[in-house]
Amino acid sequence: MVQSIIFDMDGTLFQTNRILEISLEDTFDQLRSHNEWDKETPIDQYREIMGVPLPKVWEALLPNHSIALRERTDAYFLGRLIENIRSGKGALYPNVENVFSYLKEKNCSIYIASNGLSEYLNAIVNYYKLDHWVTETFSIQQIESLNKSDLVKTIIEKYNVTSGAVVGDRLSDIKAAKDHGLVVIGLYSILF
């Protein structure tokens, strides 16, 4: 029987902290340069909510700003993240490739289910050549609810998953596994 392993990306496979602060600082510098922000970059506040879908991030970080400004900020931030990935400033956690190779040798199917946006996830997958091991990468953008459990359900239904695990570092990963009768492999990573 083929086991399916569904991995989260940020904080599980990818050391987001390596590009997060510089991308966030760039973004808030951009806002300051347009007189749309006059305080320090809210890095600590972002750390508290990291892992939630980006529209929720901008609601929290820019609560008094327009939706249009949040959307422009989101696009700029995404661009900075991708540029920092492509310039090699990010990193996978140690031994990700070894774990993936081992799982493939054991005939496991590997998927990624992430709250990250598709373009961002594709930049990571392409830069680190993860598609060598990963069957498919799923973004929260693919589902209307922005709920990780619903995203995992999409994988289960598309690939007829009957057994496996969800590996992640957030409560949403644990809930997604439990909601679908999959094994939970919770990781604790110190990001900062």
Side-chain angles (χ1 to χ4, degrees), residues 8-138:
D8 175 48
M9 179 66 85
D10 293 318
T12 301
L13 299 174
F14 186 68
Q15 297 182 52
T16 314
N17 58 308
R18 291 197 176 202
I19 62 166
L20 174 68
E21 287 189 21
I22 56 177
S23 300
L24 199 62
E25 194 65 55
D26 289 346
T27 300
F28 278 86
D29 283 346
Q30 174 78 359
L31 288 170
R32 282 188 279 272
S33 75
H34 290 102
N35 295 317
E36 294 164 327
W37 188 260
D38 62 358
K39 302 175 199 130
E40 288 187 26
T41 302
I43 291 173
D44 289 336
Q45 187 179 357
Y46 186 87
R47 288 177 185 155
E48 292 174 15
I49 60 174
M50 194 172 112
V52 301
L54 281 174
K56 302 275 186 211
V57 167
W58 302 117
E59 283 177 28
L61 298 184
L62 302 171
N64 301 320
H65 292 74
S66 70
I67 292 172
L69 178 71
R70 290 179 196 161
E71 289 172 353
R72 284 195 315 273
T73 302
D74 186 43
Y76 186 84
F77 181 65
L78 177 62
R80 297 308 309 144
L81 287 170
I82 290 169
E83 178 58 34
N84 286 319
I85 291 164
R86 291 179 179 159
S87 65
K89 293 180 182 171
L92 297 176
Y93 279 97
N95 298 311
V96 166
E97 291 104 337
N98 294 339
V99 169
F100 279 3
S101 291
Y102 175 81
L103 291 173
K104 277 301 199 183
E105 287 173 14
K106 298 298 179 187
N107 201 30
C108 292
S109 296
I110 301 170
Y111 306 95
I112 295 172
S114 174
N115 284 338
L117 301 178
S118 298
E119 192 176 351
Y120 165 76
L121 296 172
N122 289 338
I124 296 169
V125 168
N126 292 336
Y127 187 84
Y128 296 100
K129 299 176 178 39
L130 297 180
D131 53 356
H132 177 74
W133 301 284
V134 176
T135 302
E136 189 172 350
T137 300
F138 291 79

